[in-house]
Amino acid sequence: TDAEQTEFISGLDVNLAAVRYASAGILYTPGDNWRFGVTFRDEFKLRLDLGVEVNGDLAFNDVVAFEDAFLSVLTQNVNLFSPRQVALGSAYTTPRWTASLDLTWVNWGAFPAPASRIMVTVDEQLEALASIPPFEQPVAPDFSDTLIVRVGGEWLYLDTRHVDLTVRAGGSHGISPHPG
C-alpha cells in the first residue's frame, strides 16, 4: 500500500540462436553445351514470442484487495517466413549465347497465420474481479502451393580484348498463392 515500499523487478530473457535450414543442389553437365540442375531450400520461420508476467499485491486506496495476484500475457508471432522450394533447371550454352529454363515449386501452403496468438492467464482472484474474454486465435490464410516458370537468355554481343558486352533478357510466370 506504500509506493515507496514497492519493489519493481524486471528482466529480459533473449535467445538469439543461430538459424539453420537445409539447402542443397546438384548440377549435372553431360557435355559441353547442356547443364541440368536441381535445388532444394527448406522453409524458414523467424519466431518472436513476447511474454509479460505481473505478480504482487493489488491495492486500492491503501487497502490491499488481492494478495499475491498473478497476470500473464504471452504473444507468439512468426515475423518472417520463407517457403520450402524445389527448382529444376536446364541451360544450353554455346560460346556466344545461353538459353535457360527452370520450373520452381513453392510451398506457400505452409504459410502460417501472419498475426499474433495471444494467451492471457490470471489467477482466480483477478478472474473473479473481471472476466477476460477469450481471444480469437488467428487462422492461417489457406495459401496454395505455386509453380513458377522462368525463361532466360544471354548473348555475347561484343567480345574484345578490353570490353565484353553481354545482352541478357528473361521472364517468369507464376500465380499468386492467395486463394481469391
Side-chain angles (χ1 to χ4, degrees):
T1 60
D2 182 1
E4 296 297 322
Q5 298 298 317
T6 299
E7 182 179 4
F8 180 71
I9 301 171
S10 66
L12 185 61
D13 181 11
V14 177
N15 181 1
L16 297 174
V19 177
R20 294 175 180 86
Y21 58 95
S23 183
I26 297 173
L27 176 64
Y28 173 62
T29 53
D32 292 336
N33 301 97
W34 283 102
R35 294 184 301 219
F36 299 95
V38 176
T39 61
F40 169 80
R41 186 176 356 178
D42 207 357
E43 77 177 25
F44 167 74
K45 293 179 184 175
L46 178 63
R47 298 182 187 278
L48 177 63
D49 299 342
L50 300 173
V52 174
E53 290 185 3
V54 179
N55 298 292
D57 298 340
L58 186 59
F60 298 101
N61 296 326
D62 294 334
V63 176
V64 175
F66 300 99
E67 290 185 5
D68 298 322
F70 174 79
L71 167 70
S72 169
V73 179
L74 175 65
T75 66
Q76 296 176 325
N77 309 278
V78 173
N79 287 37
L80 176 65
F81 175 77
S82 179
R84 179 174 292 123
Q85 300 179 36
V86 176
L88 304 170
S90 64
Y92 186 83
T93 304
T94 70
R96 296 203 60 89
W97 60 270
T98 299
S100 64
L101 170 71
D102 76 40
L103 179 66
T104 304
W105 167 78
V106 184
N107 183 214
W108 282 113
F111 188 72
S116 297
R117 290 185 66 229
I118 301 173
M119 289 142 290
V120 177
T121 306
V122 296
D123 65 13
E124 293 175 3
Q125 299 177 80
L126 293 178
E127 195 171 341
L129 178 66
S131 99
I132 298 175
F135 288 92
E136 271 191 45
Q137 298 306 325
V139 177
D142 195 28
F143 281 0
S144 299
D145 294 349
T146 62
L147 288 175
I148 302 170
V149 178
R150 294 181 181 92
V151 178
E154 73 178 31
W155 171 50
L156 182 58
Y157 174 73
L158 183 63
D159 184 13
T160 69
R161 182 174 167 201
H162 297 289
V163 176
D164 288 346
L165 179 62
T166 303
V167 178
R168 294 181 178 162
S172 67
H173 177 71
I175 59 171
S176 170
H178 189 270

